[in-house]
Amino acid sequence: MNSARPSIRVAVIGAGPGGLTAASLLARQGFQVDVFERLSRVGGRNGWFKTPEYTFDIGPTFFMMPFLLEEIFRECGRNLEDYVQLTDLDPLYSLSYPDGSVYHPSRHPEKAKASLRGIVPSDADAFDRYMSYHERKMDAIMPCLSIPYDRPWHMLRPKLLKAAPLLGWPRSLWRELGRFYRDDRIKLGFTFQSKYLGMSPFTCPALFSILSFTEYKWGIYHVRGGLNSLSLAQEKLAREMGARIHLNTDVSQVMVGKGRATGLRFADGRTEPFDEIVMNADFAWGMKNLFPDTLRRRYTDRRLASKKYSCSTFMLYLGLDTRYDHLEHHNVFIAPDYRANLRSIETGGPLSENISFYVQNASKTDPTLAPPNHSTIYVLVPTSNLRVGSVDWTQHKTRFRDLIVKLLEERAGLKGLSQHIHFEKAVSPLDWENEMRVGYGATFNLAHNIGQMLVFRPHNRFEEFKNMWLTGGGTHPGSGLPTIYESGRIVAKCLSDKYR
Ligand SMILES: Cc1cc2nc3c(=O)[nH]c(=O)nc-3n(C[C@H](O)[C@H](O)[C@H](O)COP(=O)(O)OP(=O)(O)OC[C@H]3O[C@@H](n4cnc5c(N)ncnc54)[C@H](O)[C@@H]3O)c2cc1C
């Protein structure tokens, strides 16, 4: 550990992926770092829960662009591969359309094209063009995401100006893919990834066609033990770098005076002064609950309510005394009328049977998650967030769970599923807000529309209070593990520059 700045005390609120990234890098640079996490474990949404038999990831199941986390470990003088074991998945997932056709994307171009050819032969020919265009697009955009945007003139940075013609603005993601593919099923196969940001491809900006590209280019990885193993690895790294992690420690308020953050108040009434404070708690929840409304200018309660948020998710975690090996590791099932489904999610429509859903069958790849001949099934159903939705989840949780089990049996072919459920847990949008402190239950944070990106997204160098920094999915560059790691890295870099 470097001890160049032992007298500068940094507090990090929350041990999610962003908080742990910032903590490791700052501790490595010699700052005195204390991480405060209200739960009894690290990882936030990238955490886990266990029963005596089963282990479940709570949130992330797709680990993409692992080289970014590898770089962060390397900056700390460590190798990620000494901490976790990665499996490169092939096929990446299966995508089942309502007409019964199935697409199996692969990072091996010939395999991807063969699967496309099985659905629409003419569209398969566009795959190479799609890849070479996106090589250029990604090369231009990547460098723009690893730098802060906290001044208006940052929008004129040469890197961003150079990338601008490739952003595709003001096209939607759907229209962007229409430049390559004709068939709606294939377009869906390359645009449904906007759900990783909690958005619809019809309103998501064209820029995000890079999401599907990253899958083909760098693959999708499983981590042995579940993706929560990444959080455990980050915890170990942070401690090795000298950061102190205080679990079961709930921050109740950020103390501010004369426009600057001065310290923290904890739920037990204790207070502690700090030189710098990094917030990794969910942005919408943290703003509302850690700072009095009257002290905020840009992010008042009223303004927070007027922002656009990602969708929420209904989750079902099942421990089974059987295995369904016909499923891939990742499986996506598209709604019979996907346009209506996406519209309903965005506008807060009523619950219906017309839903898309994702099923993870991780036991196919990883024997550590369940006993022999048992398996774990993780189901994610995108739903409206609590900002636009009006579903009373206290009334409808069980009914929706029953509908999902029926769809798993009928559409996903999990025959006799109900008889094999050994353990189950359901999480509704309301649970995300109440138990996990996710504002509006918007599991993927603020939406990624152009008006809420780059300089228009909450800045990593927080604009409301001096000495205050933000990391996590609700901040620049955005939601999703790779960008969240970048947000932690940007914060560490800015703080390091400040004290250079
Ligand atoms: C269901 C789901 C699926 C996802 N799937 C993927 C995926 O496949 N791939 C991917 O890349 N991304 C995925 N994501 C998105 C994203 O990667 C995760 O949500 C990620 O965990 C967010 O990280 P974060 O740094 O914003 O912090 P969070 O995970 O939100 O952690 C914040 C931490 O702060 C703590 N905290 C909050 N308030 C306080 C307080 N007052 N005092 C102390 N501690 C506090 C919380 O307990 C929590 O531990 C998914 C998200 C969800 C919800």
Side-chain angles (χ1 to χ4, degrees):
M1 193 195 88
N2 183 332
S3 60
R5 300 164 177 124
S7 57
I8 299 161
R9 293 200 63 199
V10 182
V12 180
I13 309 170
L20 290 172
T21 304
S24 306
L25 293 169
L26 288 167
R28 169 73 175 177
Q29 290 161 22
F31 289 91
Q32 188 181 324
V33 180
D34 287 275
V35 182
F36 300 101
E37 168 55 55
R38 72 181 186 98
L39 298 175
S40 57
R41 53 148 188 89
V42 299
R45 283 168 257 192
N46 189 30
W48 68 93
F49 66 90
K50 285 177 192 280
T51 72
E53 286 141 324
Y54 307 106
T55 303
F56 295 92
D57 276 326
I58 293 173
T61 55
F62 281 39
F63 183 37
M64 305 201 302
M65 305 167 84
F67 58 88
L68 289 173
L69 191 58
E70 282 162 9
E71 278 170 23
I72 287 160
F73 272 66
R74 223 172 296 129
E75 283 172 36
C76 292
R78 300 288 194 275
N79 284 318
L80 177 63
E81 63 189 37
D82 295 334
Y83 294 73
V84 291
Q85 194 181 319
L86 303 185
T87 308
D88 189 353
L89 297 171
D90 187 46
L92 300 170
Y93 43 84
S94 81
L95 192 58
S96 300
Y97 299 101
D99 66 359
S101 52
V102 182
Y103 174 41
H104 286 110
S106 167
R107 64 189 290 206
H108 305 290
E110 290 314 317
K111 281 194 193 172
K113 282 191 271 184
S115 186
L116 286 174
R117 225 170 272 127
I119 304 172
V120 190
S122 54
D123 270 353
D125 298 338
F127 183 80
D128 290 335
R129 191 163 57 85
Y130 157 85
M131 286 300 284
S132 56
Y133 175 78
H134 281 84
E135 286 279 357
R136 276 196 294 132
K137 185 165 177 172
M138 195 74 197
D139 278 354
I141 289 172
M142 272 283 273
C144 302
L145 299 181
S146 56
I147 45 178
Y149 290 83
D150 47 26
R151 303 279 186 269
W153 59 89
H154 286 171
M155 293 299 274
L156 299 175
R157 285 179 191 278
K159 283 177 190 172
L160 189 59
L161 294 179
K162 191 171 155 223
L166 291 163
L167 298 183
W169 194 79
R171 272 194 296 278
S172 69
L173 176 57
W174 185 260
R175 281 194 51 213
E176 179 77 343
L177 266 294
R179 300 191 318 122
F180 300 92
Y181 303 112
R182 285 172 176 272
D183 187 275
D184 275 8
R185 287 166 300 176
I186 308 303
K187 278 193 248 171
L188 259 182
F190 288 77
T191 58
F192 84 90
Q193 294 80 357
S194 58
K195 267 288 156 272
Y196 303 166
L197 306 173
M199 294 182 76
S200 150
F202 302 108
T203 48
C204 186
L207 151 70
F208 290 107
S209 60
I210 57 173
L211 287 178
S212 50
F213 173 75
T214 58
E215 300 180 346
Y216 293 99
K217 170 84 177 166
W218 291 294
I220 295 176
Y221 293 82
H222 175 68
V223 189
R224 191 176 166 88
L227 263 66
N228 67 82
S229 307
L230 296 171
S231 295
L232 286 167
Q234 286 200 291
E235 176 186 26
K236 191 157 180 258
L237 179 73
R239 290 190 195 275
E240 285 172 4
M241 294 301 111
R244 293 183 298 194
I245 300 179
H246 311 267
L247 300 175
N248 300 305
T249 308
D250 197 352
V251 175
S252 59
Q253 199 190 346
V254 177
M255 298 187 297
V256 287
K258 296 188 184 148
R260 63 193 291 276
T262 56
L264 297 181
R265 185 182 301 284
F266 298 93
D268 60 8
R270 208 165 37 92
T271 60
E272 216 173 314
F274 285 96
D275 299 305
E276 305 286 344
I277 295 174
V278 180
M279 186 181 88
N280 178 222
D282 175 78
F283 178 76
W285 187 92
M287 277 302 104
K288 260 197 195 162
N289 292 281
L290 298 180
F291 304 88
D293 189 30
T294 48
L295 290 185
R296 285 174 268 142
R297 283 164 295 138
R298 188 158 179 187
Y299 294 110
T300 59
D301 288 354
R302 199 171 56 81
R303 286 207 176 173
L304 284 171
S306 69
K307 297 267 163 213
K308 286 200 168 70
Y309 290 88
S310 79
C311 71
S312 187
T313 53
F314 187 97
M315 314 292 299
L316 193 56
Y317 308 94
L318 302 175
L320 307 181
D321 63 6
T322 189
R323 297 172 62 95
Y324 289 101
D325 285 337
H326 70 281
L327 288 179
E328 297 295 345
H329 183 107
H330 297 302
N331 309 266
V332 179
F333 294 86
I334 303 287
D337 183 347
Y338 58 88
R339 287 176 188 267
N341 174 230
L342 291 165
R343 212 168 28 248
S344 168
I345 294 169
E346 277 198 337
T347 57
L351 290 179
S352 85
E353 290 209 9
N354 181 41
I355 53 173
S356 297
F357 57 100
Y358 157 75
V359 183
Q360 189 210 32
N361 179 32
S363 300
K364 178 150 188 163
T365 315
D366 186 342
T368 68
L369 306 173
N373 301 319
H374 285 231
S375 59
T376 57
I377 292 283
Y378 159 127
V379 188
L380 181 158
V381 185
T383 58
S384 300
N385 63 45
L386 301 174
R387 168 85 183 72
V388 295
S390 54
V391 173
D392 178 354
W393 286 105
T394 56
Q395 296 289 318
H396 293 286
K397 193 169 166 180
T398 310
R399 194 163 68 85
F400 204 54
R401 172 262 177 222
D402 292 345
L403 168 66
I404 293 169
V405 170
K406 180 170 103 80
L407 289 177
L408 288 170
E409 290 183 333
E410 291 173 359
R411 262 205 86 188
L414 274 56
K415 301 243 163 13
L417 173 67
S418 338
Q419 282 103 62
H420 291 292
I421 300 176
H422 209 57
F423 166 83
E424 72 173 89
K425 178 181 161 93
V427 171
S428 76
L430 196 59
D431 300 326
W432 280 115
E433 181 165 74
N434 292 342
E435 289 168 24
M436 293 294 285
R437 294 187 175 174
V438 174
Y440 304 109
T443 38
F444 309 101
N445 307 97
L446 284 170
H448 291 70
N449 50 310
I450 292 290
Q452 295 187 164
M453 282 172 54
L454 302 173
V455 80
F456 308 116
R457 204 165 176 80
H459 300 169
N460 305 112
R461 180 200 309 270
F462 192 34
E463 54 266 54
E464 295 263 0
F465 306 107
K466 286 198 183 111
N467 301 9
M468 180 89 218
W469 309 82
L470 303 180
T471 175
T475 74
H476 170 72
S479 184
L481 289 173
T483 41
I484 290 171
Y485 298 141
E486 281 296 3
S487 75
R489 181 148 72 165
I490 292 171
V491 165
K493 168 96 174 51
C494 289
L495 262 168
S496 160
D497 288 349
K498 178 172 172 180
Y499 288 96
R500 185 175 289 159

